[in-house]
Amino acid sequence: MAVLDVDDISIRFGGLQALGNVSVKAQELEIVGLIGPNGAGKTTLFNCITGFYRPNDGRVRFLGVDVTEIPIHQRAAMGMGRTFQQVGLVKGATVLENLITAQHTKVEYSAGAGILGAGNTWAEEKVLRQRAMEILDLVGLAHLAHRRVAGLPYGTMKNVEMAAVLATDPEILMLDEPTSGMGPEESHTFGDVLLRLRKELGLTVLMIEHHVPLVVAVCDYVYCLNFGQLLTEGKPEDVRTHPEVVTAYLGEEAEEVA
Amino acid sequence: MAVADAVLDHPDSAERAKSVVRWIPRLAAWGVLAAFLLVFPLSLETFHAQRWSLGVVFAIAALSLNVLIGYAGQISLGHQGFLGVGAFVSAYVVTVHQQTFWVGLLAGALSGAVASLLMGVVALRVRGLYLALVTLAYGRMAQETLFNLGIFGKGSGVEAPRPALLLGDHAFYYFSLVVLAGVLFFNWRFVRSKAGRAVSAVRENEQVAASYGIPVSRYKLIAFVVSGAFVGLAGTLYAFLNGRVDSQGINFEMALFLVLITVVGGLRSPAGILVFTALFEVLPTYVGDYFGIRWSFWLLALGPALLIITLVFYPGGVGQQIKPITSWMTGGPFRVHHGEQFVQEGVSGRP
Amino acid sequence: MQQFMSALLLGLIGGAPFALLGLGLVLVYRGSRVFNFAQGEFGTVSAFTAYLLSFRLPIGISMLIGIGVGVLMGLLTERLVVQPLFNAPKVTLLVATAAVATGSIALQLAIGDAALRSYPPLIEGNAFEPFNVPIRWQQLLVVLALAGVAIALYLFFKTALGTAVLAAAQEPVATDLVGIGTRKMSALVWGLAGLVGGITGVIVAALQPFTPGYVTSDFLIFAFVAAVVGGMTSMPGAVLGGLVLGLVQSFSASYLADIRWISDNIPAVGEVTVFILLIAVLAFRPTGLLGKEA
Ligand SMILES: Nc1ncnc2c1ncn2[C@@H]1O[C@H](COP(=O)(O)OP(=O)(O)O)[C@@H](O)[C@H]1O
Ligand SMILES: [Mg+2]
C-alpha cells in the first residue's frame, strides 16, 4: 500500500487548468521528487494533497484512507507534514517555541485543562520541550533554540521549518523547495540530512526541488510536471535526460533571458 | 514576541535560579510592591478605595482584551458590551433569582464567555476592519437595547448588593485583587500551554497553524471564550463595586479606554498592562483632587495622544519599556537592551 | 398610507446625514484603505468652531471657517497619524483614527464643557408639511448639502486628478502619471475628507443642540453601516446606503414599534435592526449593493 496515493487530480482557477489528471504515488520510505518549471503546478499539487485547495476532480488517499474531503488540520493530525515555499513558521516566536507549537496534536491534555493549569499539564509541557530539543539536536539546530525565527537567514529558516514539521511527527514529509536560499555546499549537506532522517525516523518524503544534482542524489523516483500535466515519471536519471523535460526547462530559461 | 516571551525561560534560566543571594534584593522589591498594593490601601478613605478597586476591574478587562488583540489578533471595539453582559447577568442572578454572590460571579464569567463566543462566531466570517465595525456596533446595540431589556430593569438598571463579607470598600478591593491574581494565573497558564500557543500561531499565520494540525476556527473561538470569561469577571466586580449597574457608563468611551490601556500597556505584556492601568486609572483621580476636574479632561485628551504615540513609535508599549525591570524581578539580569525588538505586528497581528 | 408616506419621507431625510458622512468614509477608504473613525469629529470640530465664532462673526462666515478647520484637521490627521502608520496593519490605523476622535472629544470637553450648544439654523421654520410631516428647512439643507457634495465629488472624480486619487490606493504607479506623488495624493484625500466632514458637521449641528462628540455619537456608526451596505468602495453606494439606512430606521421605528410585544420588550429596536443589517450584509453580501470588491 502506498503511503500517499494521488489519483487523477484536476483543479482549475477560473480559466486556468492548474492541474489536469495528475497522479502521484509515494511508497513507504521512498523519497519522491517533483520537478518542473515555475508555474507548472507543483505547489498547487501540494495544496491539493494537504487540503488547502479542493480539487475539482480526483481523490487523495493517505495511509489507505480517502482524505479528499477532510480539513487541513485533520490531515496534519494523520501525519501529513508539509513545508511552504515561502517559509511557514511563526516568525515572531523562537525556534523552540515553533517546535513546541508544532507538536499540537501530540499534546495529551485538553485546551481547557491547560488553561486551568490542571493535573498533568505541567509535566507534559516538560516532555514537549524535551522532544523539541531532541529534534533540534537531530537536525543540528540546537544552538538556535532560543533565537527568534524572524532574524534568521533564509536558508536556516528553511531548515527550522523542516524541523518544525518533523515535530508534528509526520508519516510523510512534503518539502516545497527546501534548498532555495541555500548554496550548493549547504544543499549537499541537506541531502545527507534527509537520507539520515529517512533512516532514523522511517519517513516517506515527497519533495519539490529544482536542484538537479540533489534530486539525482537522493530521490528514488521522480515526477515532472509541466503546465499542469505530468510530463513524465521514472528513475531520476531517466527523467533528467528525457527530451521533453530538457525542452521544458530550456523553454523556461529562454523566457527568463527574454 | 509571539507566544509571549514568558512562554519559555531565558536560556540562562538554569544557572539563574541557583543563587539564593541574588534573590534577596528581588524579594525586597517584591515586598515593597506587595506593601504598596496590600498595606497602603488600608489608609484610603471610601472614594479612593473604590477608585483603586475600579482600577483593578479595568486591569482585568484589559487583560481580557489583551487575549483578543494581543494573543489572537482579533480587534474588539465593543469590549464594554461584554463587560456589561457580565455585570448585568451577575446582578440579575443575585437580585432577581436570590442567588449568592458567588453564583453571580460564576454567572458573570459564563455569560461574558457566551456573549464573546457569539461574537467569535461572527469573527470567523468577518475580519479586520469590518470586525472592528461589528464590535463597535455591538457595543452600541448592547448599551441601547440589551442593557435596557425588561429583565435588566428597563433602563433603570439592576441592584447588585454585595455580600456581607465584601461590604467594606477595603474588603472589596482585596477581593478584586484576588480575582485579578486568578486571572493572571489563568492568563499565564493559557500562554504557556497548548491553547495559547495555538492561538498565537493562528494569529501569525493561519495556514501554518492548520498545517501543524491546529483547528483554526476552534482556537479562535477559544480565544473569544477565554477573553469573555475574564471580562465577565470584570463586569461582575464592576456591578458589585457600584452596588448597582445601569447602561449609562458602559459606553464607547469605556471601550476605547480599554483599548487604550491594553495597547499602551503593551500587547502580550500583562505586566505592562497592569502598570499602565494603575497609572492611568488611579492617577487622574489624584490629579482631579489636587488640580480640579478640568485637569482630568486634559488628562483624558492625553490618553489618545499616548495611544497614537505608542502605535507609531513604541508598538511594544509600556511592557517593552519596563522589560529590564520585569526581567530583573523574575530573576533575570537587569538589561537595558533586553532581548530583541518588539516584532512590529500592529494591533491586528496581520495586515 | 399616511404612516407609510411619513416613514418614507422621514427615512429619506433622516438618511441624508448618514449618506453625507458615509461619502467621507468611502473617500478615505478608497484613498487609504482604512476606516476613518475620526470622520465624525472632523464634523463636530467644525461645528464647535463655528459655534464659538458665531458670537463675533456672522453665522455664514463662522461656518466657512469651521469647515476650514475641518480640512485642517483632516490634513493634520493625515500628517501625524496616517503617514507614520503607512506600513502598519490597517486595523492599527483604524485604532489610531479612533484615538484622534476621542482625543478631539476630550479637547472639546477641556476647552468648553459637556453642555449642550446650539446655533441658529440658517433658515428658520418648516419648509412644508407633506402628509402632515413637518419638514424643517434645516433638514432640507442637509439633503441639499448631500446633493451638492455628491455632485461635486462626482465631477471631481471625472477629472484626471480625481481618477488618479482613486487609483492611488490600488496602484501607486498611476499617481505618477499625473505627476503627483503618493504622499501628496494621500494628503489630498484626507483634506477632502476633512472638507466633506466639515460640511457635514456644520450642517447637521444646526439640526439640534449638540455636545462634544455629537456627530460621532449620533451618526458615525450609522454612516459606517450605510457605507458598508453601499459596498464601502462606491460613492453612489454610500448615498444609496445612507438613504436605505434612514428608511430602515424610520420604518422600524414606525412599524416594528407598532407591534405591542416589541415596544414592550425591545428598547430602541432600530438599533437592533441596524446591527442585524450590518452582520447580514457582511456575512452574506460583503460587496454590498454597489461595491466592486469584498
Ligand atoms: N489560488 C490560486 N488562484 C489562482 N491561480 C493560482 C492559485 N494558486 C496557483 N495558481 C496558478 O496555478 C499555476 C501553478 O502555480 P504553482 O503551483 O504555484 O506553480 P509551481 O509551484 O509549480 O511553481 C500558476 O499559474 C499560478 O498562478
Ligand atoms: Mg511553487
Side-chain angles (χ1 to χ4, degrees), chain A residues 38 42-43 85 176-177 208:
Chain A
N38 276 326
K42 305 180 297 295
T43 301
Q85 192 171 345
D176 196 342
E177 303 194 11
I208 297 174

Side-chain angles (χ1 to χ4, degrees), chain A residues 13-14 16 18 36-45 47 53 85 176-177 208 210 225:
Chain A
F13 297 114
L16 175 81
N38 276 326
K42 305 180 297 295
T43 301
T44 303
L45 182 62
N47 284 334
Y53 293 161
Q85 192 171 345
D176 196 342
E177 303 194 11
I208 297 174
H210 283 305
L225 272 179

Side-chain angles (χ1 to χ4, degrees), chain B residues 7 12 25 94 122 126 173 214 225 230 234 251 268 277 296 310 319:
Chain B
V7 168
D12 52 5
V94 170
V122 174
V126 179
Y173 167 74
I214 295 168
V225 167
F230 287 178
N251 49 21
R268 301 181 280 288
T277 307
S296 344
T310 305

Side-chain angles (χ1 to χ4, degrees), chain A residues 52 72-74 76-77 80-82 84 87-94 96-98 100-105 107 109-111 114-117 121-122 125 128-129 146-148 150 161 164-165 168, chain B residues 1-5 7-11 13 185-190 192-195 197-198 200-201 204-216 218-219 222 226 230 340-343 345:
Chain A
F52 285 88
I72 306 166
H73 69 266
Q74 281 177 16
M80 263 191 198
R82 73 165 291 184
F84 293 82
V87 183
L89 283 168
V90 183
K91 298 209 173 117
T94 66
L96 184 60
E97 284 165 359
N98 266 280
I100 297 179
T101 309
Q103 295 177 62
H104 185 84
T105 62
V107 180
Y109 60 80
S110 70
I115 298 168
L116 298 175
T121 58
W122 307 69
E125 282 295 303
L128 296 177
R129 197 187 161 115
H146 297 281
R147 289 282 295 278
R148 187 147 307 182
E161 186 190 17
V165 176
T168 67
Chain B
M1 123 151 159
V3 191
D5 54 348
V7 168
L8 292 163
D9 301 338
H10 211 257
S13 62
F185 174 81
F186 293 133
N187 186 77
W188 176 54
R189 288 325 301 165
F190 171 74
R192 283 195 177 209
S193 69
K194 168 170 148 172
R197 285 190 298 262
S200 283
E204 282 210 23
N205 194 328
E206 288 184 15
Q207 302 197 325
V208 172
S211 79
Y212 286 167
I214 295 168
V216 170
R218 187 190 312 164
Y219 278 90
I222 286 178
V226 171
F230 287 178
E340 282 130 293
Q341 276 294 303
F342 188 85
V343 179
E345 269 188 77

Side-chain angles (χ1 to χ4, degrees), chain C residues 210-236:
Chain C
F210 63 99
T211 53
Y214 164 65
V215 182
T216 300
S217 65
D218 281 32
F219 301 107
L220 186 67
I221 291 182
F222 302 120
F224 265 121
V225 178
V228 168
V229 168
M232 208 61 222
T233 50
S234 158
M235 306 257 175

Side-chain angles (χ1 to χ4, degrees), chain B residues 76-128:
Chain B
S76 170
L77 295 180
H79 223 55
Q80 90 286 11
F82 304 124
L83 184 141
V85 167
F88 275 97
V89 169
S90 60
Y92 169 77
V93 163
V94 170
T95 305
V96 180
H97 289 279
Q98 316 275 308
Q99 298 295 320
T100 63
F101 170 76
W102 310 104
V103 174
L105 193 67
L106 199 67
L110 273 179
S111 58
V114 170
S116 173
L117 174 64
L118 291 178
M119 184 58 79
V121 173
V122 174
L124 294 182
R125 282 201 75 148
V126 179
R127 288 157 183 247

Side-chain angles (χ1 to χ4, degrees), chain A residues 1-6 25-30 61-65 79-80 171-173 202-205:
Chain A
M1 181 194 71
V3 170
L4 181 70
D5 181 359
V6 179
K25 265 190 180 136
Q27 304 291 340
E28 197 171 354
L29 294 183
E30 254 183 352
R61 269 177 285 274
F62 180 51
L63 303 172
V65 182
M80 263 191 198
E171 295 294 324
I172 190 167
L173 180 61
L203 284 172
T204 306
V205 178

Side-chain angles (χ1 to χ4, degrees), chain C residues 138-162:
Chain C
Q138 198 60 43
Q139 288 174 306
L140 269 194
L141 274 186
V142 180
V143 177
L144 283 180
L146 170 62
V149 168
I151 291 170
L153 284 176
Y154 175 79
L155 292 177
F156 174 70
F157 289 119
K158 284 265 160 208
T159 64
L161 181 62

